Amino acid sequence: MELINEPEITDLEERTVAYVSFVGNYVGNVEVFAELFGKLGIWAGPKQLIGPDTLFMSAYYDDPGVTPPEELKLEACMTIDDDVKVEGEIKKQKLPGGKYVVMRAELTGAEEYGPAWEKIVEWLMQNNLEMDMSRASYEVYLNDPEQHPEKHHILDICMPVK
């Protein structure tokens, strides 16, 4: 894992997203993520909703250290315009903005996601900041690992703070 920048506090914009929900143990389970983002792609592709400014994200609502694995909630999201209609298991919501700690990291594989989250939690504690549990934490994916020469994952980890 390589930190591209140190964690910093920033104000994030509210974002309108289409999403697919999952409840269960997603920790280290790349198939779950592949299936969820696959569903989004199958829905969005024919509608030509994926453009250069589209962000793909995961929204998390629970602390895997506290919540039982079978109750963990995950939403695979993609940004859309406010007027886009959704159907079936594709839902729509506004992800709240506000004050977040954002850390950009380059991971060599799925097994590094956990340590990356631990790093941002450590930083929060060192800086006497408190997580705001009323808002989701996010991963914002900045590349397609399949197109990276070494299959690295580049992402922003965003944790809401009070």
Side-chain angles (χ1 to χ4, degrees):
M1 170 178 56
E2 180 188 334
L3 285 193
I4 295 173
N5 68 354
E6 284 299 307
E8 58 186 19
I9 294 176
T10 187
D11 270 318
L12 294 183
E13 296 286 311
E14 175 181 85
R15 295 182 172 118
T16 302
V17 296
Y19 70 95
V20 184
S21 286
F22 175 83
V23 176
N25 190 358
Y26 55 74
V27 178
N29 190 340
V30 285
E31 290 79 25
V32 167
F33 290 88
E35 184 183 333
L36 296 177
F37 283 108
K39 287 176 182 177
L40 275 179
I42 289 166
W43 168 79
K47 295 176 176 27
Q48 298 183 329
L49 297 175
I50 302 172
D53 298 330
T54 304
L55 290 177
F56 287 90
M57 319 162 59
S58 292
Y60 301 97
Y61 295 87
D62 307 296
D63 176 347
V66 178
T67 305
E70 66 279 3
E71 292 174 25
L72 291 171
K73 184 177 175 194
L74 156 71
E75 291 167 355
C77 309
M78 63 175 279
T79 53
I80 55 171
D81 290 331
D82 288 344
D83 59 357
V84 172
K85 303 273 183 279
V86 295
E87 69 268 326
E89 63 178 326
I90 309 288
K91 308 283 186 239
K92 179 166 123 176
Q93 68 177 332
K94 285 200 182 298
L95 289 180
K99 192 157 74 159
Y100 279 78
V101 172
V102 178
M103 179 181 85
R104 183 159 294 178
E106 184 168 328
L107 312 180
T108 56
E111 67 286 346
E112 290 192 338
Y113 279 80
W117 279 98
E118 287 163 21
K119 190 123 187 109
I120 200 168
V121 169
E122 241 172 66
W123 188 90
L124 227 62
M125 291 162 72
Q126 286 166 355
N127 289 277
N128 295 319
L129 292 165
E130 195 179 335
M131 188 176 161
D132 179 356
M133 295 300 288
S134 69
R135 292 179 289 152
S137 292
Y138 312 122
E139 288 169 354
V140 180
Y141 307 112
L142 303 172
N143 77 322
D144 174 354
E146 291 306 311
Q147 294 179 356
H148 187 283
E150 298 168 51
K151 307 272 191 255
H152 288 185
H153 302 233
I154 300 171
L155 68 152
D156 282 343
I157 295 179
C158 310
M159 188 174 271
V161 290
K162 292 186 174 174

